[in-house]
Amino acid sequence: MADYTYDFLVIGAGPAGEAAAMAATKSGLKVGVVDDSGSLGGNCTHRGTIPSKAIRHAVKQVVHYRQQPDVLQMTSLPPISYPTILAAAKKIIPRKVAMHKSYFMRNRVYVHSGTAQFAGPNQVDVQMPYGVIDKITAKHILIATGSRPYRPKDVDFSHPRIYDSDTILEMNHTPRTLIIYGAGVIGCEYASIFSGLGVKVDLINTREHLLEFLDSEISDALSYHLREKGVLVRQLEEFESLQATDHGVNLRLKSGKRIKADALLWCNGRSGNTEQLQLEKVGLKANHRGQIDVDEEYRTSQPYIYAAGDVIGWPSLASASYDQGRAVVASITGQPVRRVIDAPTGIYTLPEISSVGKTEAELTAAKIPYEVGRAFFKDIAKAQISGEEVGMLKILFHLDTLEILGIHCFGAEAAEIIHIGQAIMNQPGSANSIEYFTNTTFNYPTMAEAYRVAALNGLNRLYRQ
């Protein structure tokens, strides 16, 4: 048994926890971190963002290769298996872990490898291997334990043909047919990945449209291109029961439909990792999804305990989690706190999606006069050269002030392209103007040129009135 005292204790070494620990130690605080994985980086590095995006990149390379003129002339192509793609993608994980480890070592942040449990006010016990317990006292504590896939009790996830977004990273075969239940961001991303490998996918959506938080034009484009790749999207469906055998799965929906496939991937929600923290010992309570409520400065109902990252729910983005972790340290040290409310969406389907700001539906409902500028990638020289002609950039701007109100991008490198527009949107006053893109010279040929094309398209609509 060992006793430790810190100014700031971080529980969880994912994006939020790491960012908070680094910011705190650079602010002169004595910092300790608890992580139960035995390897730094959190779910982001080991089971979420990094492996899934690495898989997507590998599949995209395969798809791009198969579209080359010489390859199209071949009479047959060797199949690419999912385990092969997975093995290639996983090579990035040790490199990321080594990078995270170097950060902690360089900043002399001690990591307790074990399971954290609250023992009382400002007290945390860390359950270590072989029954060893580290007893920690901390002035401030951050809960950054992340999340895991939600698992309903009536689905047998121990069956070898039933997966969630964690266990799909261990699947050792390539199904010919796959059911994906849940058409949120994760479900749509994996539908793109597996359809890119030639797997027949049934994507079950419990809502009327895919990713309803997106601008409707972008959502419609995603639906079209998923269907074009052979994904069968089933809208407004609800789970009733699931039977699994050695040969496949049979999903029954409340509409009466019965769908058979080789395997099922469950992607319907996530739960915060709070069940082992013994929150009741410090007067905290998680909601039914294991998430913790926080105020504008990411402080819980206990003023010395903060929470950040996926464990607090929306927006559940690694990018936002990094900023939330730093915001916690700003609160502790008395600095201005930036509440993360402007994080752009980044959806790594094939093609990619990213957006920031308002949608057309939101602007219409608010009775804000706006106009639209579009640039279709098929008309952009760089897209023509690279063969990435699917997609568009869409700018929404105020009819009178020309202020940019929303940017929506669908297509190759959308999550990169969005940041150019985001930077202009964040400028104060009249500096936020769509005219920036007509008064600035962009490299040619580049995908960024789409901003100039979209701006001219929108302003031409305006001037014709």
Side-chain angles (χ1 to χ4, degrees), residues 372-383:
V372 183
R374 293 182 179 84
F376 293 97
F377 285 2
K378 64 183 177 64
D379 300 323
I380 304 300
K382 179 62 179 292

Side-chain angles (χ1 to χ4, degrees), residues 264-304:
L264 179 136
L265 171 58
W266 187 275
C267 292
N268 197 33
R270 296 185 68 82
S271 300
N273 293 323
T274 53
E275 69 285 350
Q276 294 183 327
L277 289 173
Q278 298 189 12
L279 295 173
E280 66 278 1
K281 291 188 177 180
V282 287
L284 294 179
K285 185 178 181 180
N287 65 19
H288 70 287
R289 279 293 177 97
Q291 297 165 347
I292 300 173
D293 291 332
V294 294
D295 65 12
E296 292 298 307
E297 296 191 355
Y298 301 99
R299 190 185 291 107
T300 69
S301 58
Q302 295 293 349
Y304 68 95

Side-chain angles (χ1 to χ4, degrees), residues 325-445:
R326 286 187 283 266
V328 167
V329 177
S331 176
I332 291 171
T333 56
Q335 303 300 312
V337 176
R338 182 175 77 86
R339 179 76 176 181
V340 183
I341 58 174
D342 58 348
T345 61
I347 302 170
Y348 296 87
T349 47
L350 292 168
E352 205 166 291
I353 298 171
S354 193
S355 64
V356 64
K358 300 297 185 181
T359 65
E360 286 203 61
E362 289 171 335
L363 293 174
T364 300
K367 294 181 168 43
I368 296 174
Y370 72 93
E371 192 49 271
V372 183
R374 293 182 179 84
F376 293 97
F377 285 2
K378 64 183 177 64
D379 300 323
I380 304 300
K382 179 62 179 292
Q384 294 168 350
I385 292 168
S386 65
E388 303 276 12
E389 297 183 47
V390 171
M392 72 168 186
L393 176 69
K394 174 178 178 179
I395 305 176
L396 309 179
F397 62 99
H398 197 286
L399 197 62
D400 301 316
T401 67
L402 305 186
E403 172 191 3
I404 300 171
L405 304 171
I407 303 172
H408 308 274
C409 190
F410 177 81
E413 312 306 327
E416 302 279 355
I417 295 168
I418 200 73
H419 294 303
I420 301 171
Q422 181 190 30
I424 303 306
M425 282 183 67
N426 286 340
Q427 299 305 304
S430 61
N432 173 11
S433 171
I434 193 171
E435 288 188 323
Y436 171 86
F437 299 117
T438 59
N439 297 331
T440 301
T441 302
F442 286 82
N443 281 332
Y444 178 88

